[in-house]
């Protein structure tokens, strides 16, 4: 996916989760933060950021904050980007071969999953999670407790029981991580739910991205560890479908 009208700036402060103060060309501008997560390890005063100038002149904020540098690595923090970039990847049939249809916002039981796809008489529910948290080269999700995420995992597993396929895809909004693991320290229940879903047959995958100031592109799959124990790498790069 491509952004237009990108400008660089310096992050100043985040008065609340929806807005940030960014220095652009010597002026302080109020920018919309396209991520309601904490991002405390990213949004540090003085770091370089990129903002996207909005097309709508009637908007209350003129810019969207979309990416930030951390230790020399550019990280996209646009919470809408993972679904968009995954859809591009899915439409190219690089994950699932023989696609005949894709539908967004698909309802199942008490949940609404990001996509429902069909391929050769297979029905596939897909949930996408964007990942912006990195520690020591390891990508982690979530960065805050998410009961909604636990519910999604439970209902993805229920899809299997009814004859569907189910996938959860972690789109890591940065490049070059060593592996992905559920953030059990932040939310133990999510880590347990992810392990249970994998045992039930839900396909779990994680993909890093090439990030530039004005683009985001899925790059390659990364290993998954359901535990931080280095001897328990239970999922490696998936084979083609």
């Amino acid at each position: 996916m491509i952004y237009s009208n990108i400008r660089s700036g310096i992050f100043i402060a985040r008065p609340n989760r929806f807005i940030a103060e960014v220095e652009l060309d010597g002026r302080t501008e109020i920018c919309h933060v396209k991520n309601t997560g904490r991002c405390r390890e990213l949004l540090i005063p003085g770091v370089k950021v990129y903002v996207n100038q909005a097309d709508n002149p009637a908007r209350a904020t003129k810019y969207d904050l979309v990416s930030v540098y951390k230790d020399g690595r550019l990280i996209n923090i646009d919470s809408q980007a993972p679904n968009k970039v995954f859809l591009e990847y899915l439409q190219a049939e690089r994950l699932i071969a023989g696609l005949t249809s894709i539908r967004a916002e698909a309802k199942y039981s008490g949940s609404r999953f990001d996509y429902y796809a069909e391929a050769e008489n297979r029905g596939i529910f897909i949930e996408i999670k964007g990942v912006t948290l990195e520690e020591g080269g390891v990508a982690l999700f979530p960065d805050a407790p998410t009961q909604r995420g636990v519910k999604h995992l439970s209902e993805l597993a229920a899809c299997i029981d009814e004859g569907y396929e189910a996938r959860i895809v972690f789109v890591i909004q940065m490049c070059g991580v060593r592996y992905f693991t559920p953030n059990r320290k932040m939310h133990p229940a999510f880590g347990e739910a992810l392990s249970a879903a994998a045992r039930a047959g839900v396909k779990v995958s994680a993909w890093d991205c090439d990030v530039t100031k004005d683009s985001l592109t899925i790059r390659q799959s990364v290993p998954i560890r359901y535990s931080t124990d280095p001897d328990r790498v239970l999922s490696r790069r998936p084979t083609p479908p």
Side-chain angles (χ1 to χ4, degrees):
M1 61 172 292
I2 303 295
Y3 295 97
S4 59
N5 301 320
I6 287 290
R7 295 179 60 183
S8 64
I10 301 298
F11 177 78
I12 299 172
R14 189 181 186 182
N16 61 53
R17 64 178 180 163
F18 300 106
I19 63 171
E21 297 173 356
V22 175
E23 180 185 326
L24 297 174
D25 299 329
R27 297 179 54 184
T28 299
E29 297 282 356
I30 303 300
C31 304
H32 172 57
V33 179
K34 300 186 75 174
N35 190 315
T36 57
R38 296 179 179 181
C39 299
R40 290 174 181 168
E41 77 289 352
L42 297 175
L43 296 178
I44 300 170
V47 299
K48 183 178 180 179
V49 298
Y50 286 108
V51 300
N52 181 40
Q53 184 171 337
D55 295 327
N56 182 2
R59 270 186 33 160
T61 53
K62 186 177 180 181
Y63 300 97
D64 293 315
L65 176 57
V66 296
S67 58
V68 55
Y69 275 99
K70 178 191 175 190
D71 299 330
R73 174 190 276 130
L74 186 58
I75 300 175
N76 181 291
I77 62 168
D78 179 353
S79 61
Q80 297 174 7
N83 280 33
K84 293 177 181 178
V85 77
F86 175 79
L87 180 59
E88 293 175 352
Y89 197 80
L90 190 63
Q91 289 173 330
E93 296 194 22
R94 297 179 64 186
L95 181 65
I96 301 171
L99 283 173
T100 55
S101 68
I102 305 168
R103 187 173 78 246
E105 296 294 312
K107 291 183 179 179
Y108 174 83
S109 186
S111 287
R112 187 186 297 269
F113 295 119
D114 290 314
Y115 295 105
Y116 173 76
E118 292 185 345
E120 301 171 345
N121 298 318
R122 298 151 55 200
I124 309 159
F125 285 99
I126 306 169
E127 180 65 15
I128 313 300
K129 301 296 183 186
V131 182
T132 62
L133 179 61
E134 173 270 338
E135 295 179 359
V138 177
L140 301 108
F141 182 92
D143 68 351
T146 171
Q147 289 304 131
R148 182 170 178 266
V150 171
K151 179 184 176 184
H152 277 150
L153 289 168
S154 175
E155 295 201 339
L156 283 171
C159 292
I160 301 292
D161 293 336
E162 294 195 14
Y164 294 100
E165 293 182 23
R167 293 175 178 259
I168 183 164
V169 179
F170 295 94
V171 175
I172 302 165
Q173 294 167 253
M174 66 194 84
C175 180
V177 297
R178 294 189 290 122
Y179 61 88
F180 167 83
T181 192
N183 193 354
R184 292 176 180 269
K185 182 178 179 181
M186 175 58 67
H187 195 181
F190 183 86
E192 293 303 317
L194 184 64
S195 295
R199 289 193 297 269
V202 176
K203 294 183 179 180
V204 184
S205 62
W207 305 78
D208 74 355
C209 292
D210 283 321
V211 185
T212 72
K213 66 179 183 180
D214 54 9
S215 70
L216 184 71
T217 308
I218 288 182
R219 189 176 77 108
Q220 65 180 19
S221 63
V222 301
I224 295 172
R225 291 181 179 171
Y226 292 89
S227 164
T228 54
D229 181 347
D231 294 326
R232 294 184 62 196
V233 183
L234 303 184
S235 177
R236 299 186 182 273
R237 303 189 191 281
T239 57

